[in-house]
Structure formats: structure tokens, C-alpha cells
Amino acid sequence: MLRTNTCGQLNSNDIGKEVVLCGWVGKRRDHGKLIFVDIRDRQGITQIVFIPKESGGAYQKAGDLRSEFVIKIKGQVNPRPKGTINDKIATGQIEVLVKELEILNPSLTPPFEIEDELDVTEEMRLKYRYLDLRRRKILNSFITKHKLYTLIRNFLDKEGFLDCETPILTKSTPEGARDYLVPSRLNVGQFYALPQSPQLFKQILMVSGFERYYQIAKCFRDEDLRADRQPEFTQLDLEMSFVDEEDIFVLMEKMMQLIFKEIKGVDLKIPFPRINFHDAQHKYGSDKPDLRKEQGEEFAFVWVIDFPLFKYNNEEKRWESEHHPFTAPCAEDIGLLDTAPEKIRSRSYDLVLNGTELGSGSIRIHNQQLQEKIFDIIGLEKEEAARRFGFLLDAFEFGAPPHGGFAFGMDRLLAILSGQESIREVILFPKTSAGMCPLTGAPSDVDDKQLRELGLNVKKHK
């Protein structure tokens, strides 16, 4: 290791020790002949001091230091003089008297200061995202993200779930948002799709007997972007066999209770209240009610249940699935499939936090005949259903268990936990509202050779 300690580690117990630190130059202050520098790494900040006689040749080198230079120093831990202690940082009681200085790499002057409060455009920040990520406020969000993922993995492991990866290059089955398509070089004229969710694969895993599956999954949707939308996003996706809604509610409530306790120090009251879709619309004018005032709570959860199974598309004059076509209808409403589809309730549920939909799920259809009936109602002819979903229908003929699941947006939850207004702040390299990456310049043109290999021609727009 190049260093003996990190820049957030030293305290009064280390006074008198000789240490080696590495990091970036933060603030620099010249007080007469004394030079004070804040050296920063991921763990924190340590004040170092250069004194002419005691720092020797390091003092002359210190004159060259500028913001964001990468340096290595060797020196002695001393107590800070009275009146200069900084109780706001962990290392605020000490400073390091530098004896040796090595400039590991110089830096250009950054286009903006590495400070939490900035007055620069988002495009500028994202263009220099590697500098933006050095800001403590942004870095802390990703430290929280690491803790969140670790909590979830440990929790689900104890609950008997298997962590499984499903394909990224898959079949286009457009339902709702547009698919991102990937042309196949080996099968010219045919396309893969990037998954909008692992929905079909996780149902196949239930037929396979895995019983409890989860995945922190990358998902892709080609849709217009907002503060809470990105073309690629991460969701916690899980599925369980031999369960009903109550089993899933209990599991998710326990998980949320753990997350908010460990990360925010908030004790959530469970079970969460429940409200059906029609009551939510009638009382709050929304299927995503914000119950903070009503409950007298700060991060207020509520389950919204009994959504309609179908909605009518007036333009196309046909029924559509309210959520997706794999959602099971309430058993007592199945008799209405042929006569009154508008009255059928689904076995779907949304988890809403402070007026924001955090995630959704449902008990799935596991019977082939019922699944084909739903396809028929939404206008998906038998041949088209077989073309799109034949592999799922075939699997249902080999002993599919009752199953259900849930998925929620990890980016959206993390933004709430981190106090960020936009999910772009909790994604390492996000896209702008125009779907562009200012850092890499994606999306970009590709050369003609690549297009020819894929059998594609690009029509240029004026």
C-alpha cells in the first residue's frame, strides 16, 4: 500500500505517529510562511501543514500544489492549535506536519469547484462526471447505495431467495413502453431487445421449481425522460411460488422496515395501510396517495390494491391490460371475463411512498387456458400470442405453480433515502433529459462497415 492511513481515519489517539497519506488537494490556505492544505480521499479530509524549517524540501514543492493535484505525503500527526479544532469532521482535532511530499499527478484547473453547493449547469456536471463524483454529497449517495444493496442481498438470502441473472439480449415483446432493439449480425434482419423487466424469465424460473428468485436487474425502456425516468435503470425484481398477496406484503414490509432503520434511523410501523384503487381515486384523486399528513409520519407507505384488470383504449377500440397481461384476475371476478371486463379486479398491488409509486407487483396467471383467454380479450390473436409468448405458454403445460412477485425501482428508492430530487444524482453516469450522455457523447454515429455487417442503412434526417 502507498499509504498507512486514509484521510478520514486519524484522530487524537494517533498524535505522535508517523503516517503516509494519499489523496487529492482540496482547499489551500497560505498563512504567512505556513501553508495549510486539505488532502481528500473517499474516506474524508485531513489538514496537512508545511512549515519552512521542519518540512524541508517538501515546503518548496508545496508552492506548486494546485486544486485536485494527486499527492502523497509523509509526516507526523500533531494536535491542532487551540482555536483551530474543527468538530465537523472526524479528523478535526489533528493535523499532519509534512516531512516529505510527492506529486503523483498534477491536474488542470477544474471547470468547477469540488464543493457540495454548485451553481453550474447539469450538462456541465455530467460532462465532467468524474469530477462531480468527487463531491462529498454525491459520493455519499453511492456509499448509501452500496449499503442498500448489501442490506437487501443479506435480507433475501436469509429469506431463502436465490440470486439469478436473466438474459440482457432477449426477445422483443412490446407491451407499454418501446423496446430498445439490438440488430443481430449473425441473423441479418432480426433483432434482440433489451429487457424492460425480467418478467417472463422469472415466471419461467417459478415453473423451473426455483420457488424464490431475486435479481438486482438492469432494465431498459425507450421512453421520454423525466426526473424519475432514465432509459436504463435498476430494479429489485423478485418472484415467489406458493404464495398469495399477504405473503408478499409481509416480506416487503419487513424489508422496508430494515432498510429505513439501518439507513435512515427511522422506525417504520408495519403493517402498512391498504386502500383499494377506487377509494384512492375517490378520496385523494390519485392512485398514488400521499398520506403523510393523514398518518402524521415523515418516508408514509401505503399499499394500493384491487386495480382494474383492464382499461379501454378509445383510439384502438379495444381492451388493454392495466398493468401487464400476466396479472391474475380476482377469483370471484373470473365469471365476468365474457360479460363485463370493466368490472374485473386484478390481483395487483402498488407500494406508494409519499405520493410516489415505489414499486408494483401481482399474483400471476399460472394456467394456460386463462392466460390465453386474457390474450384474447386484449385483442392478441392466438397466432400472435404464440409468436410473442409461446415459450411461456408452453411452460405452463408442465406444472406451473401458483406464483407472484414484486419489483421496485432501486434508483427511485435511493433518491428518496439520499434526499436527492432526481434519480440522475444516484446513477453513476446518467443520461440527460434528451437521452444523451455528455461524458461519452452517446448515442453516436457508427461507421459504414459496422452498418453493412448488420445489414442496415441509416436514413439521414435534415
Side-chain angles (χ1 to χ4, degrees), residues 272-295 297-305 307 349-359 416:
F272 300 152
R274 302 171 193 179
I275 186 170
N276 69 51
F277 170 81
H278 289 293
D279 287 347
Q281 291 282 28
H282 178 73
K283 186 174 182 180
Y284 303 102
S286 170
D287 60 359
K288 304 174 184 60
D290 187 344
L291 303 186
R292 280 177 288 186
K293 288 184 179 179
E294 187 172 302
Q295 294 183 13
E297 299 287 346
E298 181 181 351
F299 293 103
F301 283 90
V302 60
W303 289 105
V304 181
I305 61 174
F307 283 85
Y349 33 83
D350 283 2
L351 182 58
V352 176
L353 171 59
N354 298 350
T356 297
E357 178 198 323
L358 196 60
I416 292 170

Side-chain angles (χ1 to χ4, degrees), residues 223-252:
E223 59 186 352
D224 296 334
L225 307 183
R226 301 195 296 271
D228 62 347
R229 296 281 176 89
Q230 282 280 290
E232 56 180 303
F233 57 96
T234 306
Q235 71 180 34
L236 175 67
D237 194 66
L238 57 85
E239 198 80 3
M240 306 161 67
S241 293
F242 309 113
V243 295
D244 59 18
E245 293 89 333
E246 196 65 34
D247 297 301
I248 294 171
F249 293 165
V250 169
L251 180 83
M252 296 310 304

Side-chain angles (χ1 to χ4, degrees), residues 197-216:
S197 83
Q199 179 66 42
L200 300 182
F201 286 109
K202 67 179 181 179
Q203 290 192 251
I204 293 288
L205 287 175
M206 296 303 100
V207 180
S208 303
F210 276 42
E211 294 196 10
R212 291 194 167 203
Y213 138 96
Y214 87 95
Q215 180 179 190
I216 296 178

Side-chain angles (χ1 to χ4, degrees), residues 31-42:
H31 292 177
K33 294 184 177 182
L34 302 181
I35 300 174
F36 293 91
V37 171
D38 289 339
I39 182 173
R40 181 191 72 243
D41 64 11
R42 193 187 84 187

